[in-house]
Amino acid sequence: IYKMIKLSFNKKIGENNPCFIIAEAGVNHNGSLSLAKKLVDIAVEAKADAVKFQTFIADEIILKKAPKARYHIETTGSDAKQSWYQLLKSQEISINMHKELIKYCKKKKIIFLSTPYDEKSCDLLNNLGVEIIKIASTDTNNYQFIEYIAKKKKPVILSTAMANIKEVETSYKILKKYLKNNFAIMQCTGSYPAPFKEANLNVIKTYKKKFKCSIGYSDHVIEDHVALAATALGITCYEKHITVSKKLPGPDHRASMEKKEFKLLVSNIRKIEESLGNSQKKLSSCEKQNVRKLRKFLVARKYIKKGDKLNNRNMIFKRTGGK
């Protein structure tokens, strides 16, 4: 078994530990500190282990004339209304906002983490003492950036949507070189929301066989069916977008869960975990009271005289010879 990732508040990511649940606040704060804090509150109330934001400088990650993705157009309007660059500018988190959120998370006793999308943002998170870094699926094949992050020697979680297995293998080798076992890889489908039939959860099995690290699932599928199935497959970390309201403007709100949904999801994941138990087949404590009542015991069919040979004619198994 590989070494587990150890974090603050006695949280761990690895086999034989509770699934590390990340509430993905992402850009659903819409640039507002008060809204961002409400997202932290949702994560805390749902008993998630961490809340994650996205750290980027728009000028570092996108061309000013880059066209929007289809789901951006569906959720925020055409480029004529607001360009993708302008959208990203509105979602940037300032240094002071980072500091306030980190302080707020410490107060609420929940782990703050973020996804840097450029080197300057990675440096910022590192300088602010953020203890674990998330790499977005958009950078799964950005090997130079993955190496830059890995050299910070902090635990890393890598999502792998929109990637093929060779790209994931290359990223894995880079993380393995610099971090040994101190990282996790997540199966993910890069659509917002993702179709139920394209979750491809069996990739989790492939990853568990192929890679010596923690394996998780980053979820963009509506509802909780896929999350619970992934839990049953033995993921060690899980991520889901959250929002204060799906009706808010912005690209990711529609693929996110509101507080009530997310609380139920976390609760159900914990129930699934509890039901999985361990790999040892043994008498359960709740079964012990029923052993003597429900199992059959060897009893006499009729009066047996001393010296009679015991056989099927005078012996039978019945309840409850154990009394």
Side-chain angles (χ1 to χ4, degrees):
I1 297 175
Y2 50 82
K3 184 180 177 182
M4 71 184 70
I5 300 170
K6 295 182 180 180
L7 302 166
S8 59
F9 305 120
N10 200 32
K11 302 294 184 180
K12 302 179 181 70
I13 304 176
E15 298 286 349
N16 302 320
N17 285 284
C19 181
F20 185 78
I21 299 177
I22 303 167
E24 164 69 292
V27 295
N28 284 347
H29 52 78
N30 290 357
S32 164
L33 177 60
S34 62
L35 190 56
K37 286 184 175 181
K38 288 180 181 178
L39 292 168
V40 174
D41 292 340
I42 290 173
V44 171
E45 194 172 335
K47 299 181 180 179
D49 299 294
V51 59
K52 188 185 83 66
F53 291 86
Q54 296 178 12
T55 304
F56 55 83
I57 301 167
D59 288 299
E60 295 289 320
I61 66 171
I62 191 169
L63 299 172
K64 289 187 177 180
K65 293 185 179 180
K68 284 182 175 179
R70 186 179 69 180
Y71 83 95
H72 284 140
I73 295 172
E74 291 172 351
T75 55
T76 65
S78 66
D79 286 306
K81 182 178 179 181
Q82 181 190 43
S83 70
W84 193 359
Y85 171 80
Q86 290 171 331
L87 174 64
L88 288 172
K89 285 294 290 183
S90 72
Q91 297 167 333
E92 288 180 346
I93 303 177
S94 68
I95 294 175
N96 286 337
M97 188 169 168
H98 273 90
K99 291 179 179 178
E100 283 294 320
L101 287 173
I102 291 169
K103 181 180 177 181
Y104 192 69
C105 285
K106 285 182 179 177
K107 178 183 175 182
K108 295 287 183 173
K109 296 184 178 179
I110 189 169
I111 293 171
F112 172 96
L113 65 140
S114 189
T115 298
Y117 283 82
D118 57 85
E119 291 183 2
K120 290 180 180 179
S121 294
C122 178
D123 291 342
L124 171 63
L125 294 175
N126 187 57
N127 293 336
L128 290 174
V130 175
E131 61 183 310
I132 181 169
I133 300 294
K134 170 75 193 302
I135 301 177
S137 293
T138 52
D139 287 312
T140 305
N141 67 340
N142 190 352
Y143 309 127
Q144 182 176 331
F145 187 47
I146 290 174
E147 184 174 44
Y148 187 87
I149 292 172
K151 284 182 177 179
K152 301 296 183 184
K153 297 295 183 179
K154 293 179 181 288
V156 163
I157 299 175
L158 170 69
S159 279
T160 59
M162 302 174 286
N164 60 48
I165 191 63
K166 288 185 178 179
E167 290 171 333
V168 179
E169 286 173 344
T170 302
S171 297
Y172 169 82
K173 289 175 182 176
I174 296 169
L175 294 173
K176 195 74 174 173
K177 176 182 177 181
Y178 292 99
L179 301 177
K180 295 184 179 179
N181 301 310
N182 215 22
F183 66 97
I185 291 178
M186 285 180 152
Q187 160 61 354
C188 184
T189 302
S191 186
Y192 311 90
F196 187 85
K197 64 181 180 181
E198 293 188 43
N200 204 4
L201 290 184
N202 279 328
V203 169
I204 293 169
K205 295 180 184 178
T206 301
Y207 283 2
K208 287 171 78 73
K209 289 178 182 178
K210 186 176 285 288
F211 303 133
K212 292 182 179 179
C213 66
S214 289
I215 302 301
Y217 179 62
S218 181
D219 188 10
H220 297 132
V221 180
I222 299 297
E223 299 181 346
D224 65 359
H225 304 85
V226 174
L228 302 184
T231 303
L233 287 174
I235 56 171
T236 59
C237 48
Y238 173 80
E239 177 184 67
K240 186 74 173 183
H241 281 265
I242 60 169
T243 181
V244 171
S245 171
K246 294 180 183 181
K247 296 179 181 179
L248 286 171
D252 295 336
H253 295 286
R254 74 174 186 182
S256 304
M257 281 187 164
E258 294 178 359
K259 182 170 71 172
K260 186 177 179 181
E261 294 175 290
F262 188 60
K263 285 179 68 176
L264 181 61
L265 171 67
V266 174
S267 175
N268 285 340
I269 286 175
R270 296 306 182 209
K271 287 177 181 177
I272 294 294
E273 281 185 311
E274 195 173 11
S275 74
L276 290 175
N278 54 49
S279 58
Q280 298 177 350
K281 178 58 182 173
K282 61 181 181 180
L283 187 67
S284 298
S285 57
C286 66
E287 295 176 314
K288 291 178 181 178
Q289 60 183 325
N290 292 323
V291 170
R292 290 189 173 276
K293 298 296 182 181
L294 301 181
R295 279 195 161 179
K296 294 175 182 176
F297 295 82
L298 190 63
V299 297
R301 284 182 184 267
K302 58 183 181 180
Y303 178 75
I304 302 173
K305 294 185 293 184
K306 186 177 180 179
D308 284 355
K309 186 177 180 180
L310 300 180
N311 53 46
N312 289 337
R313 292 189 297 276
N314 58 20
M315 298 296 295
I316 190 172
F317 282 93
K318 283 186 177 182
R319 294 170 176 167
T320 174
K323 300 182 180 178

